[in-house]
Amino acid sequence: YLAKHPGAFWVNFGDFNWFRMEEIVDIRFVGGFARAGSITPKDYRDAKPDPVSGFGSFIASHMNDDHMDSTIAMIAHAIPGLDVSEAVITSVDSLGMYVKCTRTPRASDQPQQFKIRLPFPRKIEDRKDVKEVIVEMTRAAQGAATEAN
């Protein structure tokens, strides 16, 4: 472990322990508040990395730097009535993106921040697909906004 992670200083903490599991019979994933689930050992063994994981952060950075207005429009289209002033994509995968939103409710002057999941209309397989789907979602949002006005 230390050969692969030389900066893992926490291995020297008194509450850090090493375990070797001989047989995995159940897997429970806890990914944070309201994000948990189970998977069978076979499904875990057979799983492949998400095809977008290698470049999703570059897409998020580009969208955040150059196209935040498109992200805001996609959110407004996906969740009618949700009016956000800022939408920062925090991660992108083959099924969608997580977006940190900022809004100020009508009855308050205090901004709120929260994350939402903005799903893609179909699973993405490569970088070209991501661009096509985001453009498609942006155009759908713009079309809906034009029809509303």
PDB file of all heavy atoms in Angstrom, residues 77-95:
ATOM      1  N   HIS A  77     -34.657  23.612 -17.170  1.00  0.00           N
ATOM      2  CA  HIS A  77     -35.473  22.755 -18.030  1.00  0.00           C
ATOM      3  C   HIS A  77     -35.809  21.434 -17.330  1.00  0.00           C
ATOM      4  O   HIS A  77     -36.941  20.941 -17.415  1.00  0.00           O
ATOM      5  CB  HIS A  77     -34.735  22.492 -19.342  1.00  0.00           C
ATOM      6  CG  HIS A  77     -35.480  21.626 -20.300  1.00  0.00           C
ATOM      7  ND1 HIS A  77     -36.696  21.975 -20.835  1.00  0.00           N
ATOM      8  CD2 HIS A  77     -35.184  20.408 -20.817  1.00  0.00           C
ATOM      9  CE1 HIS A  77     -37.118  21.019 -21.645  1.00  0.00           C
ATOM     10  NE2 HIS A  77     -36.212  20.052 -21.645  1.00  0.00           N
ATOM     11  N   ALA A  78     -34.826  20.863 -16.641  1.00  0.00           N
ATOM     12  CA  ALA A  78     -35.021  19.570 -15.969  1.00  0.00           C
ATOM     13  C   ALA A  78     -35.894  19.685 -14.725  1.00  0.00           C
ATOM     14  O   ALA A  78     -36.645  18.764 -14.397  1.00  0.00           O
ATOM     15  CB  ALA A  78     -33.668  18.965 -15.598  1.00  0.00           C
ATOM     16  N   ILE A  79     -35.802  20.828 -14.031  1.00  0.00           N
ATOM     17  CA  ILE A  79     -36.538  21.026 -12.780  1.00  0.00           C
ATOM     18  C   ILE A  79     -37.266  22.363 -12.868  1.00  0.00           C
ATOM     19  O   ILE A  79     -36.771  23.388 -12.382  1.00  0.00           O
ATOM     20  CB  ILE A  79     -35.588  20.994 -11.562  1.00  0.00           C
ATOM     21  CG1 ILE A  79     -34.711  19.747 -11.596  1.00  0.00           C
ATOM     22  CG2 ILE A  79     -36.391  21.067 -10.262  1.00  0.00           C
ATOM     23  CD1 ILE A  79     -33.588  19.744 -10.595  1.00  0.00           C
ATOM     24  N   PRO A  80     -38.427  22.380 -13.517  1.00  0.00           N
ATOM     25  CA  PRO A  80     -39.160  23.647 -13.672  1.00  0.00           C
ATOM     26  C   PRO A  80     -39.408  24.318 -12.323  1.00  0.00           C
ATOM     27  O   PRO A  80     -39.762  23.670 -11.341  1.00  0.00           O
ATOM     28  CB  PRO A  80     -40.475  23.209 -14.323  1.00  0.00           C
ATOM     29  CG  PRO A  80     -40.146  21.917 -15.013  1.00  0.00           C
ATOM     30  CD  PRO A  80     -39.123  21.250 -14.132  1.00  0.00           C
ATOM     31  N   GLY A  81     -39.171  25.620 -12.299  1.00  0.00           N
ATOM     32  CA  GLY A  81     -39.384  26.389 -11.076  1.00  0.00           C
ATOM     33  C   GLY A  81     -38.134  26.561 -10.230  1.00  0.00           C
ATOM     34  O   GLY A  81     -38.109  27.389  -9.328  1.00  0.00           O
ATOM     35  N   LEU A  82     -37.095  25.760 -10.499  1.00  0.00           N
ATOM     36  CA  LEU A  82     -35.850  25.908  -9.749  1.00  0.00           C
ATOM     37  C   LEU A  82     -35.007  26.968 -10.443  1.00  0.00           C
ATOM     38  O   LEU A  82     -34.506  26.771 -11.543  1.00  0.00           O
ATOM     39  CB  LEU A  82     -35.080  24.587  -9.675  1.00  0.00           C
ATOM     40  CG  LEU A  82     -33.764  24.628  -8.896  1.00  0.00           C
ATOM     41  CD1 LEU A  82     -33.985  25.078  -7.453  1.00  0.00           C
ATOM     42  CD2 LEU A  82     -33.077  23.271  -8.935  1.00  0.00           C
ATOM     43  N   ASP A  83     -34.875  28.113  -9.793  1.00  0.00           N
ATOM     44  CA  ASP A  83     -34.158  29.250 -10.352  1.00  0.00           C
ATOM     45  C   ASP A  83     -32.823  29.371  -9.634  1.00  0.00           C
ATOM     46  O   ASP A  83     -32.777  29.776  -8.470  1.00  0.00           O
ATOM     47  CB  ASP A  83     -35.005  30.516 -10.166  1.00  0.00           C
ATOM     48  CG  ASP A  83     -34.367  31.741 -10.790  1.00  0.00           C
ATOM     49  OD1 ASP A  83     -33.546  31.584 -11.719  1.00  0.00           O
ATOM     50  OD2 ASP A  83     -34.694  32.854 -10.345  1.00  0.00           O
ATOM     51  N   VAL A  84     -31.735  28.999 -10.308  1.00  0.00           N
ATOM     52  CA  VAL A  84     -30.418  29.068  -9.681  1.00  0.00           C
ATOM     53  C   VAL A  84     -29.606  30.189 -10.321  1.00  0.00           C
ATOM     54  O   VAL A  84     -29.762  30.493 -11.501  1.00  0.00           O
ATOM     55  CB  VAL A  84     -29.653  27.727  -9.773  1.00  0.00           C
ATOM     56  CG1 VAL A  84     -30.443  26.615  -9.092  1.00  0.00           C
ATOM     57  CG2 VAL A  84     -29.320  27.346 -11.186  1.00  0.00           C
ATOM     58  N   SER A  85     -28.740  30.795  -9.528  1.00  0.00           N
ATOM     59  CA  SER A  85     -27.890  31.882 -10.022  1.00  0.00           C
ATOM     60  C   SER A  85     -26.508  31.381 -10.406  1.00  0.00           C
ATOM     61  O   SER A  85     -25.786  32.037 -11.153  1.00  0.00           O
ATOM     62  CB  SER A  85     -27.766  32.973  -8.966  1.00  0.00           C
ATOM     63  OG  SER A  85     -27.260  32.429  -7.759  1.00  0.00           O
ATOM     64  N   GLU A  86     -26.140  30.218  -9.884  1.00  0.00           N
ATOM     65  CA  GLU A  86     -24.840  29.630 -10.190  1.00  0.00           C
ATOM     66  C   GLU A  86     -24.997  28.119 -10.237  1.00  0.00           C
ATOM     67  O   GLU A  86     -25.736  27.542  -9.436  1.00  0.00           O
ATOM     68  CB  GLU A  86     -23.810  30.028  -9.131  1.00  0.00           C
ATOM     69  CG  GLU A  86     -22.407  29.558  -9.437  1.00  0.00           C
ATOM     70  CD  GLU A  86     -21.398  30.017  -8.404  1.00  0.00           C
ATOM     71  OE1 GLU A  86     -21.551  29.678  -7.217  1.00  0.00           O
ATOM     72  OE2 GLU A  86     -20.453  30.713  -8.803  1.00  0.00           O
ATOM     73  N   ALA A  87     -24.304  27.477 -11.188  1.00  0.00           N
ATOM     74  CA  ALA A  87     -24.359  26.026 -11.330  1.00  0.00           C
ATOM     75  C   ALA A  87     -22.967  25.528 -11.696  1.00  0.00           C
ATOM     76  O   ALA A  87     -22.509  25.729 -12.821  1.00  0.00           O
ATOM     77  CB  ALA A  87     -25.374  25.631 -12.391  1.00  0.00           C
ATOM     78  N   VAL A  88     -22.293  24.912 -10.731  1.00  0.00           N
ATOM     79  CA  VAL A  88     -20.929  24.436 -10.925  1.00  0.00           C
ATOM     80  C   VAL A  88     -20.956  22.916 -11.009  1.00  0.00           C
ATOM     81  O   VAL A  88     -21.344  22.237 -10.049  1.00  0.00           O
ATOM     82  CB  VAL A  88     -20.018  24.900  -9.766  1.00  0.00           C
ATOM     83  CG1 VAL A  88     -18.609  24.342  -9.935  1.00  0.00           C
ATOM     84  CG2 VAL A  88     -19.995  26.416  -9.687  1.00  0.00           C
ATOM     85  N   ILE A  89     -20.558  22.386 -12.158  1.00  0.00           N
ATOM     86  CA  ILE A  89     -20.509  20.937 -12.330  1.00  0.00           C
ATOM     87  C   ILE A  89     -19.334  20.411 -11.516  1.00  0.00           C
ATOM     88  O   ILE A  89     -18.194  20.842 -11.687  1.00  0.00           O
ATOM     89  CB  ILE A  89     -20.353  20.562 -13.816  1.00  0.00           C
ATOM     90  CG1 ILE A  89     -21.550  21.090 -14.619  1.00  0.00           C
ATOM     91  CG2 ILE A  89     -20.206  19.052 -13.982  1.00  0.00           C
ATOM     92  CD1 ILE A  89     -21.388  20.979 -16.124  1.00  0.00           C
ATOM     93  N   THR A  90     -19.618  19.476 -10.600  1.00  0.00           N
ATOM     94  CA  THR A  90     -18.557  18.930  -9.750  1.00  0.00           C
ATOM     95  C   THR A  90     -18.020  17.610 -10.279  1.00  0.00           C
ATOM     96  O   THR A  90     -16.883  17.257  -9.995  1.00  0.00           O
ATOM     97  CB  THR A  90     -19.043  18.748  -8.298  1.00  0.00           C
ATOM     98  OG1 THR A  90     -20.165  17.870  -8.287  1.00  0.00           O
ATOM     99  CG2 THR A  90     -19.413  20.095  -7.685  1.00  0.00           C
ATOM    100  N   SER A  91     -18.831  16.867 -11.041  1.00  0.00           N
ATOM    101  CA  SER A  91     -18.342  15.636 -11.662  1.00  0.00           C
ATOM    102  C   SER A  91     -19.261  15.237 -12.802  1.00  0.00           C
ATOM    103  O   SER A  91     -20.445  15.580 -12.819  1.00  0.00           O
ATOM    104  CB  SER A  91     -18.222  14.504 -10.636  1.00  0.00           C
ATOM    105  OG  SER A  91     -19.496  14.148 -10.141  1.00  0.00           O
ATOM    106  N   VAL A  92     -18.673  14.516 -13.760  1.00  0.00           N
ATOM    107  CA  VAL A  92     -19.403  14.023 -14.925  1.00  0.00           C
ATOM    108  C   VAL A  92     -19.078  12.547 -15.073  1.00  0.00           C
ATOM    109  O   VAL A  92     -17.913  12.150 -14.973  1.00  0.00           O
ATOM    110  CB  VAL A  92     -18.982  14.772 -16.212  1.00  0.00           C
ATOM    111  CG1 VAL A  92     -19.742  14.252 -17.423  1.00  0.00           C
ATOM    112  CG2 VAL A  92     -19.168  16.267 -16.070  1.00  0.00           C
ATOM    113  N   ASP A  93     -20.105  11.734 -15.292  1.00  0.00           N
ATOM    114  CA  ASP A  93     -19.901  10.316 -15.577  1.00  0.00           C
ATOM    115  C   ASP A  93     -20.786   9.924 -16.747  1.00  0.00           C
ATOM    116  O   ASP A  93     -21.419  10.776 -17.358  1.00  0.00           O
ATOM    117  CB  ASP A  93     -20.165   9.464 -14.328  1.00  0.00           C
ATOM    118  CG  ASP A  93     -21.564   9.645 -13.774  1.00  0.00           C
ATOM    119  OD1 ASP A  93     -22.536   9.432 -14.524  1.00  0.00           O
ATOM    120  OD2 ASP A  93     -21.695   9.975 -12.582  1.00  0.00           O
ATOM    121  N   SER A  94     -20.846   8.663 -17.069  1.00  0.00           N
ATOM    122  CA  SER A  94     -21.558   8.218 -18.268  1.00  0.00           C
ATOM    123  C   SER A  94     -23.075   8.353 -18.168  1.00  0.00           C
ATOM    124  O   SER A  94     -23.764   8.264 -19.180  1.00  0.00           O
ATOM    125  CB  SER A  94     -21.192   6.769 -18.589  1.00  0.00           C
ATOM    126  OG  SER A  94     -21.613   5.914 -17.547  1.00  0.00           O
ATOM    127  N   LEU A  95     -23.592   8.587 -16.968  1.00  0.00           N
ATOM    128  CA  LEU A  95     -25.047   8.687 -16.790  1.00  0.00           C
ATOM    129  C   LEU A  95     -25.532  10.100 -16.508  1.00  0.00           C
ATOM    130  O   LEU A  95     -26.735  10.351 -16.507  1.00  0.00           O
ATOM    131  CB  LEU A  95     -25.497   7.750 -15.662  1.00  0.00           C
ATOM    132  CG  LEU A  95     -25.194   6.269 -15.887  1.00  0.00           C
ATOM    133  CD1 LEU A  95     -25.566   5.444 -14.658  1.00  0.00           C
ATOM    134  CD2 LEU A  95     -25.892   5.745 -17.125  1.00  0.00           C
TER     135      LEU A  95
END
